[in-house]
Amino acid sequence: MDKKDEIILQQLDVIRTMSENNLKRMTSDFWGAPSTGGSGKPAAPKKEEKPAEKETGGERAKKEAEPEALPPEKIEDLKAELDTYIGLGEIKREVNNLINMATVFRRRAEAGLPNTDFSLHMVFTGNPGTGKTMIARLMARIYHSLGILSKGQLVEVDRSGLVAGYVGQTAIKTQKVIERALGGVLFIDEAYALNGKGDNDFGQEAIDTLLKAMEDHRDDLIVIVAGYDELMEKFVRSNPGLESRFNRYLHFEDYSLDEMLAIFKMQCKKGSYTLAEDAEQDVRDFIYDENSGGITFGNARGVRNLFEQILTEQANRLAAMEEFTREDLMTITRADVLHARGMEDESAADESETDESAAEE
């Protein structure tokens, strides 16, 4: 190897090292690692702990399990956010009713007046993708704003997050989830799956642990169970304890075609994409076709999947171009939508035929 080759290898090694360092910094920025103090400047080094101030393993685990309470938001801002959600007309009315009732009950308590029993635990019913988790998260923030919950976080689990495979382990597993949810909302999706499936199933143990926690922490824990209509009704009625605590049902209707198109446009706006005018009808047809099939489309979730498919086709189109502008990067064309549907762009086909005819002449 001559001197020239050695210099080239050294330069490549320097470039590789710089690239690795840049990637590490990018990762820190994307995932919020403590490489900066939030202002783009390097974070100040942490002070060394004195031996007497060091935490035990149990104390550390407890702090990790208990999220810090965020400052309460203004209830007016949360209600304004609710109004921006697409569709959900009946849900919005119910949520506003709950806000008004909770506000009045709090004012009565502050005035030294008695309140009747008012359960805030809820059952959300409806198909996937209809906004149940989104509303549950908003309710946690609303109740924190009203001073009903001390932290306002949402902890989301399903059966697998509560039920263990061995005797005695389910209660421990469920209790750990409850501790994380204290001060906020515990959201259990497909809660009907907790119903016992046989003698060796531990779903009932999770339900019993949950009911006890709802009683012990009635002032700082709200539980929302969610799932399909008939299955959730059967689930709640299967246990007198569940039936007495879950007496408020919110049904989430499927989104209409117009609402799903609006959700697609919202995805475009959030991602800084522009949908070409001649592509809107094709997006609408795409949603209609996919939603009319035998397989469940998934409402807003299905729209997000179509959006990602279309972005894949946009990326394929741009990758084949030698140069493209900022506007190109932002524009979703009719061809992108048609290719995502497995269809050919008729205008592009016509242009190709015209070019071939011209070449033959």
Side-chain angles (χ1 to χ4, degrees):
M1 182 183 293
D2 58 22
K3 189 68 175 177
K4 182 179 178 182
D5 291 334
E6 288 181 6
I7 293 172
I8 291 172
L9 287 174
Q10 288 174 0
Q11 289 175 331
L12 288 172
D13 189 54
V14 170
I15 292 170
R16 178 182 59 78
T17 304
M18 291 175 64
S19 298
E20 288 177 353
N21 290 337
N22 286 335
L23 284 171
K24 287 178 181 177
R25 281 195 293 271
M26 286 171 64
T27 303
S28 298
D29 292 339
F30 285 140
W31 299 108
S35 60
T36 66
S39 59
K41 299 179 181 178
K46 293 182 179 179
K47 294 181 180 179
E48 292 187 5
E49 292 178 334
K50 297 178 182 178
E53 295 176 347
K54 285 187 176 179
E55 298 173 341
T56 65
E59 289 171 337
R60 265 197 308 274
K62 188 175 181 181
K63 280 193 173 182
E64 289 173 2
E66 296 177 0
E68 294 182 5
L70 296 173
E73 301 167 77
K74 293 181 179 178
I75 194 65
E76 295 81 9
D77 294 340
L78 293 171
K79 291 175 78 171
E81 180 181 329
L82 175 64
D83 289 339
T84 66
Y85 293 167
I86 294 169
L88 303 172
E90 186 59 35
I91 298 299
K92 290 176 181 177
R93 283 189 286 274
E94 287 292 335
V95 170
N96 276 303
N97 289 342
L98 285 168
I99 291 172
N100 294 338
M101 289 182 68
T103 302
V104 171
F105 272 52
R106 186 188 64 174
R107 295 287 174 84
R108 284 179 59 88
E110 291 171 353
L113 296 170
N115 281 317
T116 58
D117 288 338
F118 180 49
S119 175
L120 296 174
H121 306 301
M122 289 174 279
V123 180
F124 285 3
T125 63
N127 290 324
T130 47
K132 295 187 291 294
T133 306
M134 177 179 68
I135 293 297
R137 185 174 291 109
L138 181 68
M139 294 305 302
R141 293 161 59 199
I142 286 172
Y143 288 142
H144 181 41
S145 171
L146 295 172
I148 294 170
L149 294 174
S150 60
K151 296 176 183 176
Q153 81 279 16
L154 179 81
V155 174
E156 181 182 358
V157 294
D158 56 14
R159 175 190 163 87
S160 64
L162 300 174
V163 178
Y166 302 96
V167 175
Q169 293 298 311
T170 292
I172 297 172
K173 190 174 184 178
T174 302
Q175 188 59 43
K176 286 181 178 178
V177 172
I178 290 167
E179 288 172 4
R180 282 169 38 215
L182 288 179
V185 169
L186 174 58
F187 180 80
I188 306 175
D189 197 16
E190 298 181 349
Y192 50 80
L194 290 174
N195 269 342
K197 298 179 180 178
D199 295 338
N200 296 323
D201 185 81
F202 305 113
Q204 186 58 48
E205 187 179 348
I207 293 173
D208 294 340
T209 306
L210 184 65
L211 289 173
K212 185 178 185 305
M214 291 167 70
E215 181 64 28
D216 294 344
H217 305 287
R218 64 172 69 185
D219 295 329
D220 206 18
L221 175 67
I222 292 173
V223 179
I224 298 176
V225 292
Y228 294 104
D229 295 67
E230 293 182 5
L231 292 173
M232 287 308 299
E233 185 174 352
K234 183 179 178 181
F235 167 69
V236 172
R237 295 188 185 282
S238 69
N239 186 304
L242 292 172
E243 198 167 9
S244 64
R245 287 171 177 82
F246 292 101
N247 54 17
R248 188 174 297 277
Y249 286 72
L250 271 68
H251 176 68
F252 290 69
E253 296 283 352
D254 287 342
Y255 287 107
S256 68
L257 181 58
D258 287 339
E259 288 168 346
M260 286 191 280
L261 180 60
I263 290 171
F264 184 92
K265 290 181 178 179
M266 181 187 69
Q267 291 286 330
C268 290
K269 185 176 180 181
K270 286 172 63 178
S272 295
Y273 290 96
T274 302
L275 181 63
E277 288 186 11
D278 63 347
E280 183 172 318
Q281 183 60 46
D282 291 285
V283 171
R284 185 185 179 89
D285 293 342
F286 194 8
I287 295 171
Y288 176 82
D289 290 344
E290 293 295 313
N291 193 40
S292 61
I295 301 174
T296 302
F297 178 64
N299 289 285
R301 197 173 302 166
V303 173
R304 285 195 297 271
N305 290 338
L306 297 192
F307 180 67
E308 290 173 5
Q309 291 175 38
I310 292 170
L311 290 189
T312 299
E313 294 302 330
Q314 187 224 32
N316 291 337
R317 175 174 57 82
L318 293 176
M321 297 167 60
E322 291 185 3
E323 295 182 359
F324 43 79
T325 65
R326 175 183 170 86
E327 184 178 354
D328 292 329
L329 289 167
M330 296 173 64
T331 303
I332 294 174
T333 67
R334 183 167 186 250
D336 299 332
V337 181
L338 291 175
H339 286 151
R341 296 181 66 189
M343 300 172 65
E344 186 179 359
D345 183 358
E346 296 174 1
S347 60
D350 291 342
E351 288 179 8
S352 177
E353 291 176 4
T354 302
D355 293 341
E356 289 177 3
S357 299
E360 290 174 359
E361 292 176 1

